[in-house]
């Protein structure tokens, strides 16, 4: 099986502050890998480093994926408020066209993410947060990525919408063969979505393994606390997946 990313002893520093303190992991073809931790744990820094937005301080990142795209937490803020959905997708389509013919048109991609063609004429302010996140995913798919990095893509959404977006990610893995790195602060978000989970605390992985094992037999006190802290609303989310 192809490993799209192999990360060895990754460190990321911002001045004197070390956000990531030497983590190692891999992301394989067709896999959904979850990285979970509280705010400030370093998980989003890992996502941004793999996406090329942050430079590693040391360590090795072996990348075999030809195309990597990222979806951000603030779906509304990641879209240009002055552009309609159609204009935003066509802009991405034009950029992708310069590198070769994209596999799918903007209209086809909207259908893949569960949106009607009429959305093309709408502005972000006219849509819900869940709809904007679907548009952001469609825009990323214009580039026919092998890897999608989703940085807390559902944390700003209500429970029912969270479940629908997470189910969409599973469908994209199944139908398009995507590999997905899913960043979350809530273990319930990743429980029924991810194949493997890495639990992160203060820049380090304190637990890692197949999802069933992490939930059934947590290897660290921090993981146990996260499991105990899962609120009822998050349990409701897990039940919808």
């Amino acid at each position: 099986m192809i490993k799209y990313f192999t990360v060895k002893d990754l460190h990321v520093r911002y001045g004197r502050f070390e956000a990531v303190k030497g983590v190692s992991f891999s992301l394989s073809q067709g896999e959904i890998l979850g990285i979970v931790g509280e705010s400030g744990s370093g998980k989003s820094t890992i996502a941004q480093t793999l996406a090329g937005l942050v430079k590693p301080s040391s360590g090795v990142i072996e990348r075999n994926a030809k195309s990597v795209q990222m979806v951000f937490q603030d779906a509304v803020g990641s879209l240009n408020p002055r552009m309609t959905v159609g204009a935003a997708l066509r802009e991405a389509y034009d950029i992708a066209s310069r590198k070769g013919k994209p596999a799918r048109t903007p209209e086809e991609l909207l259908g893949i993410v569960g949106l009607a063609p009429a959305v093309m004429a709408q502005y972000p302010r006219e849509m819900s947060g869940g709809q904007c996140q679907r548009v952001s995913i469609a825009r990323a798919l214009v580039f026919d990525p092998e890897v999608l990095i989703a940085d807390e893509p559902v944390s700003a959404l209500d429970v029912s919408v969270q479940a629908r977006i997470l189910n969409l990610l599973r469908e994209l893995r199944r139908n398009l063969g995507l590999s997905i790195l899913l960043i979350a602060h809530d273990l319930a978000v990743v429980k029924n979505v991810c194949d493997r989970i890495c639990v992160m605390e203060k820049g380090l992985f304190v637990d890692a393994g197949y999802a069933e094992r992490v939930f059934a037999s947590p290897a660290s006190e921090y993981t146990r606390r996260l499991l105990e802290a899962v609120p009822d609303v998050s349990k409701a989310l897990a039940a919808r997946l």
Side-chain angles (χ1 to χ4, degrees):
M1 183 177 294
I2 298 172
K3 290 189 182 297
Y4 282 140
F5 278 104
T6 301
V7 178
K8 302 175 182 177
D9 195 27
L10 176 66
H11 292 255
V12 182
R13 300 178 183 86
Y14 299 105
R16 295 183 178 180
F17 174 68
E18 190 170 25
V20 180
K21 302 176 181 178
V23 301
S24 301
F25 64 96
S26 63
L27 177 66
S28 298
Q29 182 181 20
E31 179 181 38
I32 301 181
L33 173 67
I35 298 182
V36 184
E38 296 173 324
S39 297
S41 62
K43 59 190 187 299
S44 289
T45 296
I46 291 177
Q48 292 165 11
T49 304
L50 294 191
L53 302 177
V54 172
K55 294 185 67 174
S57 302
S58 63
V60 176
I61 300 177
E62 298 176 1
R63 170 175 162 171
N64 292 314
K66 295 178 182 178
S67 178
V68 177
Q69 291 294 314
M70 190 163 181
V71 175
F72 297 91
Q73 175 181 353
D74 184 1
V76 178
S78 69
L79 298 172
N80 189 329
R82 298 182 179 181
M83 297 178 72
T84 62
V85 168
L89 291 181
R90 282 191 290 269
E91 180 183 58
Y93 186 85
D94 290 343
I95 294 171
S97 296
R98 296 171 199 155
K99 301 179 181 180
K101 182 175 173 56
R104 300 169 185 85
T105 66
E107 292 81 4
E108 289 172 330
L109 289 170
L110 283 180
I112 287 173
V113 300
L115 292 174
V119 171
M120 295 278 283
Q122 293 184 303
Y123 289 89
R125 64 179 178 274
E126 299 173 321
M127 298 186 299
S128 68
Q131 288 176 315
C132 285
Q133 195 59 281
R134 289 176 187 267
V135 171
S136 297
I137 293 170
R139 183 177 59 182
L141 295 179
V142 169
F143 298 91
D144 197 22
E146 293 164 321
V147 174
L148 185 68
I149 299 174
D151 188 4
E152 300 210 41
V154 300
S155 63
L157 307 175
D158 66 42
V159 172
S160 62
V161 179
Q162 284 185 30
R164 290 196 287 270
I165 294 297
L166 291 170
N167 281 325
L168 172 61
L169 293 178
R170 290 198 297 192
E171 290 172 8
L172 294 176
R173 185 264 290 272
R174 182 175 62 250
N175 298 332
L176 303 183
L178 273 179
S179 297
I180 300 173
L181 179 66
L182 177 59
I183 306 298
H185 64 265
D186 189 338
L187 275 167
V189 168
V190 302
K191 181 177 182 179
N192 296 306
V193 178
C194 296
D195 302 297
R196 292 187 298 122
I197 297 172
C198 298
V199 179
M200 195 167 193
E201 181 186 21
K202 297 179 180 178
L204 293 168
F205 288 162
V206 295
D207 206 340
Y210 288 103
E212 296 87 350
R213 199 282 300 158
V214 172
F215 277 83
S217 182
S220 74
E221 179 59 32
Y222 179 72
T223 305
R224 285 189 284 273
R225 291 203 306 270
L226 285 181
L227 288 170
E228 291 169 358
V230 172
D232 290 340
V233 68
S234 294
K235 293 176 183 176
L237 167 63
R240 291 171 182 262
L241 294 171

